[in-house]
Amino acid sequence: MNYTIDINTEDLKVESRGAESYGIFNIRVQVDSEDLLEEAEDFISYVLDYQIETQTVITSEETLTYGYWLVKFKEKGQFLDVWEYNSGATSFIEGANLTLRYLYSQYSLCETINAEFDSPTADKFVTIYNQVFESEEIQGVRYEEEGDQSGWLLYCKEQDLDTLHEDDFLTLRLYELTLKRPDILKFLALPTGYRFILKGNEYNAWKDKSLFTN
């Protein structure tokens, strides 16, 4: 590729140069800590390569889903600056800190247990037992994703699913869940057929071969 990516460790900015030779904007990302600089570089490469390979041009005010989270591009000079949804998904804020941290957290867990990365988008629905927000111990299982359903079902370990009633469950957007229980976010990119148990700072995650054949 003919573009380059510059990393400014002092200002915590990462920006591309030379993208205009492909008829597209250069991308600029502001982060809040040095540990996100490499992640921001990967993000910019992804956005530029996507445009070049698909002959697509991203313009100002367009949005893009990157892993779990949503970003928006805003033109400023020769750059498209990156903005992202705030944690409650109510408005866009400058930078990509949440987006990059969410992706890193989910990808790292999948890599640790050798699972394929399959993150749903934060606007997908999840079904939870209504005590999940308060419970110290949580179990989750991911069924096949269908339409606007992420496939995730969450409940408390001390509860037997067979004894619970339909009224004991809530359906809500994933971003509503992770806003209140950010400790669950890292598990959400586990693919269909995986389970996890979370208790305090300890967890276990595995593929349940009894549920699915592939």
Side-chain angles (χ1 to χ4, degrees):
M1 297 298 180
N2 293 328
Y3 65 79
T4 60
I5 299 178
D6 297 334
I7 298 177
N8 187 324
T9 56
E10 183 175 346
D11 294 334
L12 298 178
K13 285 184 179 181
V14 183
E15 57 190 39
S16 66
R17 304 285 181 181
E20 66 276 5
S21 65
Y22 296 97
I24 58 179
F25 283 95
N26 283 296
I27 306 295
R28 180 167 54 196
V29 179
Q30 178 75 59
V31 296
D32 62 8
S33 65
E34 287 191 15
D35 66 321
L36 291 179
L37 291 173
E38 185 175 342
E39 302 299 321
E41 182 181 10
D42 290 342
F43 169 79
I44 291 176
S45 293
Y46 171 84
V47 174
L48 294 181
D49 290 348
Y50 164 76
Q51 292 178 90
I52 294 167
E53 292 168 6
T54 63
Q55 297 185 334
T56 301
V57 177
I58 294 176
T59 58
S60 187
E61 300 302 317
E62 285 194 40
T63 59
L64 176 74
T65 299
Y66 187 66
Y68 182 68
W69 214 234
L70 186 70
V71 300
K72 177 183 280 192
F73 300 93
K74 295 192 177 187
E75 183 177 354
K76 189 172 184 180
Q78 63 175 316
F79 292 98
L80 286 179
D81 283 343
V82 178
W83 291 53
E84 66 180 351
Y85 257 156
N86 62 7
S87 59
T90 57
S91 61
F92 284 94
I93 56 177
E94 188 171 5
N97 300 296
L98 292 174
T99 305
L100 300 178
R101 285 197 171 94
Y102 289 167
L103 182 68
Y104 180 80
S105 175
Q106 292 179 342
Y107 186 84
S108 295
L109 185 136
C110 289
E111 188 176 46
T112 297
I113 67 169
N114 197 30
E116 181 181 353
F117 176 86
D118 186 20
S119 180
T121 55
D123 61 342
K124 296 280 188 178
F125 285 100
V126 56
T127 300
I128 69 168
Y129 173 53
N130 57 25
Q131 297 299 313
V132 161
F133 290 137
E134 296 80 25
S135 178
E136 180 187 8
E137 190 166 348
I138 299 171
Q139 282 200 35
V141 57
R142 191 174 189 186
Y143 298 96
E144 290 188 19
E145 184 173 330
E146 295 184 4
D148 58 3
Q149 303 296 320
S150 69
W152 277 109
L153 170 66
L154 304 181
Y155 53 98
C156 303
K157 187 177 187 300
E158 61 267 20
Q159 297 292 332
D160 183 350
L161 276 180
D162 294 334
T163 67
L164 298 175
H165 302 288
E166 186 175 337
D167 292 344
D168 294 321
F169 289 88
L170 306 171
T171 299
L172 64 162
R173 304 276 185 181
L174 283 171
Y175 65 76
E176 297 176 291
L177 169 68
T178 53
L179 178 63
K180 295 182 178 181
R181 289 299 304 255
D183 53 336
I184 294 174
L185 181 136
K186 63 184 178 183
F187 300 102
L188 297 180
L190 292 173
T192 299
Y194 272 75
R195 292 182 178 272
F196 74 85
I197 298 175
L198 172 66
K199 185 174 183 180
N201 294 322
E202 298 183 355
Y203 73 87
N204 188 18
W206 71 99
K207 185 173 185 178
D208 187 342
K209 295 182 180 180
S210 68
L211 290 175
F212 303 95
T213 58
N214 52 29

